[in-house]
Amino acid sequence: MHPKNRYAEPHDFVGLAAIVPDLASYSITTPDGRSSLDFTHPQAVRLLNKALLIRDYGLKYWDIPEGNLCPGVPGRLDYIHAIGDLLGDDTARTQGAKKGKQPPVFGLDVGTGASLIYPILGHKEYGWRMVGTDVDATSLKVATAIAQFNPGLKNGIIVRKQTDRRAIFRNVILRGEHFTFTMCNPPFFDSAEAARAAAGLKWKKLGVEAAASPTLNFGGQANELWTEGGEPAFLRQMIQESTGFGEQVDWFTTLVSKKGYLKIAEIEFGRHGITQTKVIGIGRGGKLRRILCWKV
C-alpha cells in the first residue's frame, strides 16, 4: 500500500463490528488463527466499508443498494494518495503554493457510483473539492443523499448527472470550470457474459462453488462493470475526449487494469499529439494496477 495509507495494518474486525454490529455475521477465523471476514459475500465488503467510513472519516450515514458496486476503501485510498503525489510533483502547482497563490484542488470522479467513495476520500483526506458523475439514476440518488446527509461532505462534494451514456467528459465539465484532475475506475468488461465468466473463474480459483449466476464480491451494475468494446474502447474514448478539455483540466487520470492496455493508450496519445504522460503503479503481486496520467 501507499506509505500514507492508513490501512497498511490488519483491520480490527472486532472493533469494527462494535461500530456496525451486522459485520459480526461475516466474521471468520483463518487457518492461522486470525480474525477476518468472509469476503465471498458482497455484504461483508459493504458493511466493512460502512464501518471504516464511520470510524475513520466521521460519516453519520453511508449505505448503498444491494448489487451496486462496492469498491473497498483501502484500495481506493491508494489511488487518492497517488493523485496527491502527482499534484505535489507538479512544479507549477508547487511554485504557486509557495507564493500563496495556490487555488483549491478541484477533482472530477467519472462514474462515481452509489458509493461516492473517491469524492469522500479525496475530500476527507486532503480537503479537495470533488464532483462525482454518473449516468445511473439510482446511483445518483444514493450518492446525493450521502453527500447531503453528512455535514462534513455537504459543502465539498457535488453529484452531477451525465446525461449522455456515450460521453465521458462532455456535459459534466461545465463552461468556465477548471479541474485540477480527473479520475476514473473504468468498466472492465465488454458484456454481461464476460463479467459473469470472470466472476465464475475467480470463485473457481478461490475454491468456492459458484452460484448459477456468479457475481463479483464487490457487486456491480451494468454501467459499472461493462461497456461496449470493454476497457480498451473506453480508454481510447477517454483520451480522445480529453483533447477537448485541455484548457480546463490539469491532469487526466484513470485506472488501467492490464499492462497491455498501456500500449493502446500510447498509440492513442500519439494520434492526438499528447506527450506529457505518466504511469503510477499501485498494489502489488496479482493485484497490481496502474494509474495512467496525462496532460493535454
Side-chain angles (χ1 to χ4, degrees), residues 1 5 7 11 48-49 52 72-79 121:
M1 284 187 170
N5 196 315
Y7 300 113
H11 293 304
L48 176 59
N49 272 3
L52 295 175
V73 168
R76 297 312 181 254
L77 187 53
D78 266 359
Y79 191 173
L121 297 179

Side-chain angles (χ1 to χ4, degrees), residues 43-179:
Q43 184 78 335
V45 180
R46 184 182 70 82
L47 292 172
L48 176 59
N49 272 3
K50 184 175 183 177
L52 295 175
L53 291 169
I54 291 172
R55 184 191 69 181
D56 299 330
Y57 296 103
L59 268 62
K60 303 297 183 184
Y61 164 81
W62 186 89
D63 210 347
I64 62 173
E66 184 177 349
N68 274 79
L69 187 66
C70 187
V73 168
R76 297 312 181 254
L77 187 53
D78 266 359
Y79 191 173
I80 291 294
H81 285 314
I83 288 180
D85 292 344
L86 178 70
L87 301 184
D89 288 343
D90 189 320
T91 304
R93 292 189 59 79
T94 302
Q95 290 176 342
K98 290 179 179 178
K99 296 176 181 178
K101 299 178 181 179
Q102 183 65 43
V105 172
F106 195 25
L108 174 69
D109 177 26
V110 175
T112 198
S115 68
L116 201 64
I117 288 292
Y118 285 128
I120 291 171
L121 297 179
H123 184 62
K124 286 292 188 176
E125 287 280 345
Y126 288 96
W128 298 337
R129 292 176 59 234
M130 297 288 298
V131 172
T133 73
D134 211 286
V135 298
D136 182 74
T138 299
S139 294
L140 288 164
K141 182 178 180 180
V142 175
T144 298
I146 292 171
Q148 291 297 314
F149 295 155
N150 286 287
L153 304 180
K154 190 173 183 179
N155 295 324
I157 296 176
I158 299 168
V159 179
R160 185 173 293 171
K161 181 177 178 61
Q162 170 54 271
T163 57
D164 185 352
R165 288 180 174 272
R166 299 166 298 180
I168 297 175
F169 300 121
R170 288 184 284 110
N171 308 317
V172 294
I173 296 180
L174 306 182
R175 182 176 298 178
E177 283 186 325
H178 187 92
F179 286 93

